[in-house]
Amino acid sequence: MNGGLLVAGTTSDAGKSVVTAGICRWLVRQGVKVAPFKAQNMSLNSFVTREGAEIGRAQAMQAQACRVEPTAHMNPVLLKPGGERSSQVVLLGRPVGEMSARGYHGGRQERLLGTVLDSLAELRASYDAVICEGAGSPAEINLRRTDIVNMGIARGAGLPVLVVGDIDRGGVFASFFGTVALLAPEDQALVAGFLVNKFRGDVSLLEPGLEMLHGLTGRHTYGALPFQHGLGIDEEDGLRVSLRGTVRESVVAPPVGEDVLRVAVCAVPLMSNFTDVDALAAEPGVVVRFVDRPEELADADLVIVPGTRGTVRALQWLRERGLAEAIVRRVAEGRPVLGVCGGFQLLGEHIEDEVESRAGHVDGLGLLPVRVRFAREKTLTRPVGEALGERVEGYEIHHGVAEVTGGSPFLDGCRVGQTWGTHWHGSLESDGFRRAFLREVAAAAGRRFVPAPDTSFAALREEQLDRLGDLIEHHADTDALWRLIESGAPQGLPFIPPGAPA
């Protein structure tokens, strides 16, 4: 078997990442050696591979669904927004510069098609099947000429395309039909059919519409996946996190001790790797919420200042909203605060930034004895160490170089009293360390909170990925899906007018 498939969507957030991960997990359970692929990803949630390459967290999660190590070829182009109009371009895991949207779509993106096709070919030579994820919608006719992630990659590699639609939003039939009808004939020939996502209710009520859709387009629907709460996979698009936060909803299990522990995460601009708090949200009795007002810190037992693509901008935002003053008061009162990556940097004494914001010298909050200088070379590592008597693994993604001049060592950062700072993302996924850290926080906060002794974040993630595989296995036409991956799009699919504009 040397198969492939592109999972496209009628819109952003239609469920492409979930469906791709689900198909990957279903295939690997059938004994297929499978890999994920996304030619171009726009995300502030990223991960570092073992060879030191930066890729989107969604592709790292999909690699876990495949039970393989992630590599740069699985996400050859990563765009990390630095504002409304520019992004850092990461090519094959390494940053190659900042670029405006106009500059990128004006020629640079089109020139990368060969690079992404080479990465895809590398994966297809090593795996039985490669399940590719598109971005946004394939029917974005204004961007088709330079497209390297939807129909551009499908046509370049001869991949069949499955279009996913979110029925919970409404208008899914119009979205399916319109998506096909706005594609050129050569692109339409690769669109094999549809997959309904987030369906609620009796599927028999949906079937007449699916039959009519088949009559209109000549294409089958490969299944209707039911709506499910709490899938909790890694978010992809950092721009969708507003100041109020796209709160990572979690079902809070009853606490083991007498009290719950409340965690407030400052929803700073350009927040990156907010997946760091997922392991806390998985703990019974820990309540995690994103906040943007100082009064929301009042009842928090722990305040986290997370990573950000704009450290100086985040610092200014904290001051403007009164959150900086509230954090300084907390520290003076000996109440726990944790800064991660950019959040660690702004807790320090001062920042020299001629790279990210080009703001030069900026005073930090002065809560940790740290001086930060931004280097042009990005640090991309997978450190392993020890803290609070427990082994810790993490990953680092930052331009800021921290000079620690005091305090107690803490994961290559430092700690002063109940104020902690580190560049390490993902440290809280280390179960023993997370429990030890929460015990310290609970004691400082005066809470009778007890960490659960048996929570395994890795096991919970595996359970989530198996749930995604179950969705495909139980609610998709897996026989037809197998044929599609193995043999490509059916021949003779009808053209649906009007097609793409000339």
Side-chain angles (χ1 to χ4, degrees):
M1 182 180 187
N2 185 17
L5 174 69
L6 175 70
V7 178
T10 56
T11 62
S12 295
D13 204 31
K16 297 183 291 293
S17 296
V18 169
V19 170
T20 300
I23 293 174
C24 286
R25 179 48 63 102
W26 163 65
L27 283 173
V28 82
R29 294 195 307 208
Q30 309 308 307
V32 177
K33 187 181 179 184
V34 60
F37 178 78
K38 184 160 185 173
Q40 173 191 293
N41 198 346
M42 177 173 281
S43 180
L44 286 169
N45 283 334
S46 57
F47 185 74
V48 179
T49 67
R50 294 215 177 272
E51 68 267 28
E54 184 179 9
I55 65 171
R57 279 233 20 151
Q59 279 60 66
M61 175 273 297
Q62 290 163 354
Q64 187 175 348
C66 297
R67 297 180 179 145
V68 298
E69 275 291 323
T71 72
H73 288 302
M74 295 174 183
N75 179 207
V77 181
L78 173 64
L79 304 179
K80 302 195 72 175
E84 293 297 323
R85 297 187 179 182
S86 68
S87 294
Q88 182 181 68
V89 181
V90 179
L91 182 62
L92 290 172
R94 296 288 172 179
V96 295
E98 297 279 334
M99 188 165 288
S100 69
R102 180 179 292 273
Y104 185 68
H105 290 287
R108 178 63 182 269
Q109 182 184 34
E110 193 173 10
R111 293 195 295 273
L112 291 175
L113 180 60
T115 300
V116 300
L117 286 172
D118 287 346
S119 285
L120 178 56
E122 181 85 14
L123 293 175
R124 296 188 80 175
S126 304
Y127 291 88
D128 300 328
V130 178
I131 307 303
C132 308
E133 179 187 344
S137 162
E140 291 167 349
I141 53 179
N142 56 316
L143 302 177
R144 176 62 185 91
R145 181 180 62 83
T146 59
D147 171 44
I148 65 169
V149 66
N150 288 307
M151 301 313 300
I153 196 77
R155 201 193 297 188
L159 294 172
V161 179
L162 184 68
V163 180
V164 178
D166 179 359
I167 197 170
D168 199 49
R169 294 183 176 193
V172 74
F173 293 114
S175 297
F176 281 145
F177 183 87
T179 295
V180 178
L182 279 176
L183 299 179
E186 298 85 351
D187 290 343
Q188 286 195 23
L190 295 172
V191 177
F194 314 108
L195 186 71
V196 176
N197 192 28
K198 301 181 187 177
F199 179 72
R200 305 173 191 252
D202 185 349
V203 74
S204 67
L205 299 176
L206 188 64
E207 288 169 354
L210 300 179
E211 291 172 5
M212 286 185 273
L213 183 66
H214 177 252
L216 289 165
T217 67
R219 290 159 172 85
H220 291 284
T221 298
Y222 284 70
L225 308 184
F227 188 98
Q228 288 198 4
H229 289 284
L231 290 176
I233 66 161
D234 295 345
E235 299 285 351
E236 180 175 273
D237 188 353
L239 286 179
R240 280 207 301 275
V241 180
S242 66
L243 293 181
R244 291 296 300 163
T246 300
V247 179
R248 297 184 65 74
E249 302 280 356
S250 61
V251 178
V252 181
V256 175
E258 296 180 45
D259 290 341
V260 298
L261 208 63
R262 295 175 174 83
V263 179
V265 184
C266 297
V268 297
L270 299 174
M271 180 165 41
S272 61
N273 287 70
F274 54 85
T275 49
D276 284 339
V277 302
D278 285 358
L280 292 179
E283 280 285 346
V286 176
V287 182
V288 178
R289 66 182 187 274
F290 287 88
V291 303
D292 63 1
R293 295 178 298 191
E295 57 268 26
E296 293 176 298
L297 304 188
D299 67 343
D301 302 305
L302 170 66
V303 169
I304 296 179
V305 188
T308 171
R309 174 84 164 84
T311 299
V312 171
R313 178 176 170 184
L315 180 58
Q316 181 182 7
W317 180 84
L318 289 170
R319 286 175 167 144
E320 288 173 349
R321 301 187 73 87
L323 282 159
E325 185 180 350
I327 291 170
V328 170
R329 283 199 305 269
R330 283 185 66 88
V331 170
E333 295 165 0
R335 303 175 67 193
V337 173
L338 170 64
V340 180
C341 200
F344 164 45
Q345 295 167 6
L346 61 82
L347 293 180
E349 295 168 350
H350 73 256
I351 298 167
E352 286 288 341
D353 182 11
E354 300 293 348
V355 176
E356 192 175 76
S357 68
R358 297 181 176 85
H361 179 94
V362 178
D363 288 333
L365 296 184
L367 302 175
L368 288 174
V370 176
R371 299 168 185 169
V372 176
R373 175 185 55 82
F374 274 69
R376 297 199 177 277
E377 187 74 19
K378 182 184 280 192
T379 297
L380 296 167
T381 63
R382 291 272 292 271
V384 177
E386 185 176 301
L388 302 179
E390 299 287 346
R391 186 176 187 274
V392 188
E393 296 184 26
Y395 56 100
E396 295 186 50
I397 306 170
H398 55 91
H399 284 279
V401 178
E403 179 190 356
V404 179
T405 60
S408 304
F410 174 67
L411 299 180
D412 293 339
C414 68
R415 168 190 182 181
V416 175
Q418 291 301 318
T419 306
W420 317 64
T422 178
H423 273 134
W424 291 24
H425 294 290
S427 63
L428 293 167
E429 295 180 18
S430 298
D431 298 327
F433 166 70
R434 183 180 64 253
R435 286 192 277 269
F437 178 68
L438 289 176
R439 282 193 290 268
E440 289 251 358
V441 169
R447 297 288 185 189
R448 290 172 293 185
F449 168 85
V450 178
D454 55 356
T455 300
S456 167
F457 186 73
L460 290 172
R461 174 52 55 89
E462 278 296 302
E463 289 175 12
Q464 290 170 328
L465 293 172
D466 276 331
R467 288 177 64 195
L468 299 183
D470 291 343
L471 278 177
I472 299 300
E473 187 171 339
H474 299 153
H475 302 282
D477 185 344
T478 52
D479 289 340
L481 196 57
W482 186 281
R483 290 193 298 272
L484 186 62
I485 294 168
E486 192 172 34
S487 304
Q491 297 296 308
L493 292 169
F495 171 72
I496 308 302

